């Protein structure tokens, strides 16, 4: 989205009637599913044994607080044959590469009898250890999945209050910053190339359909067509296809953050807290001093400035800066940012025509800053991981699919909502549907949209596997 341009929210009943998608304003979109789905290398045997006794695995090994492994007391080993002892079913459950830990109640404090024999080879423990090592932090995964659902809901209903309840884009940029800081333990060029490789093929695949549709509808492209190859600037498009291509502001912003990340991380580590706090300065300058050029560069500057704090906040979480700050200081700073962002949105409601944060960059920046800081600080402070989510197999499965197919859901969800409108129009021709189905309800369109999104995940999601150099699958 170009902050420098006037945007409009979704009117009631959006999408019905001629000219689907024309003149719709989309300020908030969502993110790309980040790298981190691959399995980790198996741990040495001694570490495997300790890891298996921990309550739950953590995908983000950057936690500054050490986990204390369960350490049984020494005991004498009798020489008679071992007897089987019960295992909890959860100990061996696996959801498509997401390892399950052993709940505390399932860890026996009485060691089983064993015979004196040669130690088992390390390979025997490898499968279970690999599952544990591949476990993911379901707290971050759940935030990403909820953000995706919230974005689709916002583009269906146009709720102005949605950003106040859950600022999806600020959360997604915060998660991306954390993952990039973790990945930059490897050479920077390798990390940047990997991020581009994961994002561009799904974008190209989606872009072929969008560009061809616009060409068929009399669109005449210019030299800026190259932005459809690498979207470092807003790719051009026709007014007819605006509802589909306008979401690409997020991809452009994300790619620029990826390119700047090695430098940003180096500067942040020189003075973490001052750099974090000063990262709100660019949006203040653009709002009150200089609004920037009215072109692609200006649009990029506005979006980068709006979410710069959230991205660097990801660094602070990864490096343990938030954990070392005093709780009172974190809470006060967060509440101050939330208060200023909320006040600015309401105080300038008349000038912007709405209090929607997606239309007010300064309010978005401060509200997201306070909201995301509380979420990340709470995770580190209280060691929240949502590991218990794995007990709800269906819900856990949904979270897994959403994270593995985040790019597909993001790119195709607007097309799904566009196609839902003529599809529902056909339902009116069936008397039974007209009588018993709520065809006029936006909730019904929301449901149909998700059915089409699921279809796109099955038909197009495999491109994400190819981009990640994995075996293509219908579902991860």
């Amino acid at each position: 989205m170009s902050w420098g341009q006037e945007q409009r929210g979704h009117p009631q009943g959006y999408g019905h009637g001629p000219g689907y998608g024309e003149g719709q304003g989309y300020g908030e979109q969502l993110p790309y599913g980040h790298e981190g789905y691959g399995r980790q290398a198996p741990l040495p045997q001694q570490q495997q044994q300790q890891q298996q006794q921990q309550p739950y695995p953590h995908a983000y090994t950057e936690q500054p607080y050490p986990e204390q492994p369960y350490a049984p007391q020494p005991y004498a080993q009798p020489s008679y044959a071992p007897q089987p002892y019960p295992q909890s079913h959860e100990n061996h459950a696996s959801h498509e590469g997401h390892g399950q830990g052993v709940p505390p109640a399932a860890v026996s404090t009485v060691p089983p009898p064993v015979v004196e024999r040669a130690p088992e080879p390390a390979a025997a423990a490898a499968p279970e250890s690999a599952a544990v090592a591949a476990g993911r932090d379901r707290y971050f995964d759940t935030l990403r999945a909820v953000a995706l659902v919230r974005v689709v809901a916002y583009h269906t209903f146009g709720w102005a209050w949605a950003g106040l309840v859950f600022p999806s884009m600020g959360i997604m940029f915060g998660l991306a910053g954390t993952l990039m800081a973790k990945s930059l333990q490897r050479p920077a060029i390798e990390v940047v190339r990997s991020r581009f490789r994961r994002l561009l093929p799904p974008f190209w695949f989606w872009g072929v359909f969008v560009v061809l549709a616009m060409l068929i509808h009399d669109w005449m492209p210019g030299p800026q067509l190259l932005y459809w190859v690498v979207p470092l600037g807003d790719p051009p498009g026709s007014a007819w296809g605006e509802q589909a291509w306008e979401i690409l502001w997020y991809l452009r912003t994300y790619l620029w953050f990826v390119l700047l990340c090695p430098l940003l991380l180096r500067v942040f580590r020189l003075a973490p807290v001052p750099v974090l706090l000063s990262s709100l300065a660019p949006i203040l300058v653009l709002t009150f001093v200089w609004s920037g050029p009215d072109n692609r560069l200006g649009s990029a500057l506005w979006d980068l400035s709006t979410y710069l704090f959230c991205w660097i906040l990801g660094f602070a979480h990864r490096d343990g800066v938030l954990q070392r700050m005093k709780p009172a200081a974190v809470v006060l700073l967060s509440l101050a940012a939330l208060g200023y962002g909320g006040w600015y949105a309401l105080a300038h409601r008349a000038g912007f025509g709405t209090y929607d944060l997606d239309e007010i960059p300064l309010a978005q920046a401060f509200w997201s800053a306070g909201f995301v800081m509380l979420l990340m600080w709470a995770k580190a402070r209280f060691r929240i991981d949502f590991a218990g989510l794995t007990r709800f197999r269906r819900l856990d499965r949904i979270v897994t699919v959403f994270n593995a197919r985040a790019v597909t859901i993001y790119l195709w969800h607007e097309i799904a909502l566009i196609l839902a409108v003529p599809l529902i129009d056909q339902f009116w021709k069936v008397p039974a549907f007209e009588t018993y189905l709520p065809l006029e309800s936006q909730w019904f369109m929301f449901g149909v949209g998700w059915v089409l999104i699921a279809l796109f995940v099955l038909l197009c999601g495999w491109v994400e596997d190819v981009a990640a150099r994995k075996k293509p699958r219908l579902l991860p």
Side-chain angles (χ1 to χ4, degrees):
M1 184 192 72
S2 299
W3 293 117
Q5 298 176 0
E6 180 180 357
Q7 305 291 336
R8 292 183 296 170
H10 296 275
Q12 185 71 15
Y14 119 95
H16 293 278
Y20 304 130
E22 296 185 7
Q24 305 295 338
Y26 300 92
E28 182 162 344
Q29 307 296 336
L30 183 58
Y32 167 58
H34 303 286
E35 186 177 6
Y37 299 110
R39 295 180 179 269
Q40 302 176 7
L43 301 171
Q45 184 176 6
Q46 182 178 0
Q47 296 178 359
Q48 291 171 0
Q49 295 173 356
Q50 295 176 353
Q51 181 72 12
Q52 292 167 5
Q53 292 169 349
Q54 294 182 11
Y56 296 102
H58 295 274
Y60 298 90
T61 57
E62 71 273 15
Q63 301 293 346
Y65 37 82
E67 298 285 351
Q68 299 297 328
Y70 168 81
Q73 299 296 325
Y75 57 89
Q77 295 185 353
S79 59
Y80 49 84
Q83 300 295 328
Y85 60 99
Q87 294 282 349
S88 171
H89 174 71
E90 295 180 0
N91 295 0
H92 303 283
S94 176
H95 298 283
E96 296 294 335
H98 292 273
Q100 305 262 346
V102 181
V107 179
S108 175
T109 59
V110 179
V114 297
V115 300
E116 295 180 354
R117 58 184 177 181
E120 296 292 337
E128 186 175 354
S129 173
V132 172
R136 293 179 58 88
D137 190 314
R138 304 309 270 168
Y139 180 76
F140 283 167
D141 287 348
T142 302
L143 288 179
R144 187 177 293 110
V146 173
L148 282 165
V149 174
R150 213 280 293 160
V151 165
V152 178
Y154 174 79
H155 290 157
T156 304
F157 302 99
W159 293 324
W161 49 263
L164 295 171
V165 174
F166 197 81
S168 296
M169 296 313 305
I171 292 171
M172 292 307 306
F173 280 116
L175 298 181
T178 297
L179 293 175
M180 277 297 294
K182 181 176 184 293
S183 297
L184 283 173
Q185 296 173 346
R186 297 180 284 135
I189 186 64
E190 177 184 337
V191 175
V192 172
R193 183 169 59 245
S194 174
R195 290 299 194 276
F196 272 67
R197 188 193 71 239
R198 280 177 168 269
L199 181 62
L200 290 181
F203 164 67
W204 293 334
F205 184 81
W206 171 87
V208 167
F209 294 92
V210 175
V211 170
L212 285 178
M214 291 190 297
L215 290 174
I216 292 173
H217 285 80
D218 302 326
W219 177 51
M220 183 62 67
Q224 294 82 9
L225 187 64
L226 291 175
Y227 287 117
W228 281 97
V229 179
V230 180
L232 292 176
D234 293 324
S238 65
W240 176 86
E242 183 179 2
Q243 185 173 339
W245 57 256
E246 193 176 22
I247 64 173
L248 296 178
W249 74 268
Y250 170 77
L251 273 68
R252 178 250 296 155
T253 306
Y254 174 81
L255 289 178
W256 272 112
F257 271 132
V258 168
L259 289 173
L260 296 172
C261 195
L263 177 61
L264 289 175
L265 184 59
R266 179 174 298 182
V267 173
F268 168 77
R269 286 174 174 168
L270 294 176
V273 175
V275 171
L276 177 63
L277 297 178
S278 63
S279 62
L280 286 170
I283 190 64
L284 291 170
V285 171
L286 288 175
T287 303
F288 299 112
V289 180
W290 176 62
S291 61
D294 187 17
N295 53 25
R296 284 180 170 85
L297 176 60
S299 298
L301 288 175
W302 275 98
D303 293 331
L304 287 169
S305 300
T306 301
Y307 297 105
L308 178 62
F309 183 94
C310 293
W311 188 275
I312 295 182
L313 191 65
F315 298 167
H317 171 76
R318 171 66 180 86
D319 288 0
V321 175
L322 290 180
Q323 296 88 315
R324 294 191 295 269
M325 294 177 65
K326 294 182 179 180
V330 174
V331 172
L332 287 176
L333 288 174
S334 300
L335 293 179
L338 287 169
Y340 182 71
W343 168 82
Y344 190 87
L346 295 175
H348 295 78
R349 180 176 181 178
F352 288 94
T354 180
Y355 62 90
D356 190 339
L357 297 181
D358 299 328
E359 309 298 335
I360 311 173
L362 183 66
Q364 177 75 276
F366 276 84
W367 186 270
S368 297
F371 201 100
V372 179
M373 179 179 283
L374 285 177
L375 285 178
M376 289 196 167
W377 173 79
K379 171 177 173 52
R381 177 73 176 178
F382 303 108
R383 303 172 65 176
I384 305 171
D385 58 8
F386 281 7
L389 181 67
T390 57
R391 299 176 183 176
F392 306 94
R393 295 179 178 275
R394 292 183 180 178
L395 183 59
D396 182 69
R397 176 65 172 156
I398 292 174
V399 171
T400 299
V401 173
F402 269 60
N403 279 267
R405 294 292 183 259
V407 182
T408 301
I409 294 173
Y410 175 71
L411 288 174
W412 291 92
H413 82 274
E414 281 286 21
I415 295 180
L417 293 176
I418 294 172
L419 294 178
V421 176
L423 180 60
I424 294 174
D425 289 343
Q426 298 302 313
F427 289 176
W428 288 96
K429 299 179 180 180
V430 180
F433 290 169
E434 182 180 1
T435 301
Y436 297 107
L437 294 180
L439 300 182
E440 295 181 348
S441 172
Q442 286 183 298
W443 283 102
F444 185 75
M445 187 176 75
F446 183 65
V448 173
W450 275 110
V451 172
L452 295 176
I453 290 172
L455 182 62
F456 283 128
V457 167
L458 292 174
L459 296 178
C460 310
W462 58 269
V463 182
E464 291 194 61
D465 292 329
V466 174
R469 297 178 179 176
K470 299 178 182 178
K471 181 180 179 180
R473 292 182 295 177
L474 289 178
L475 283 177

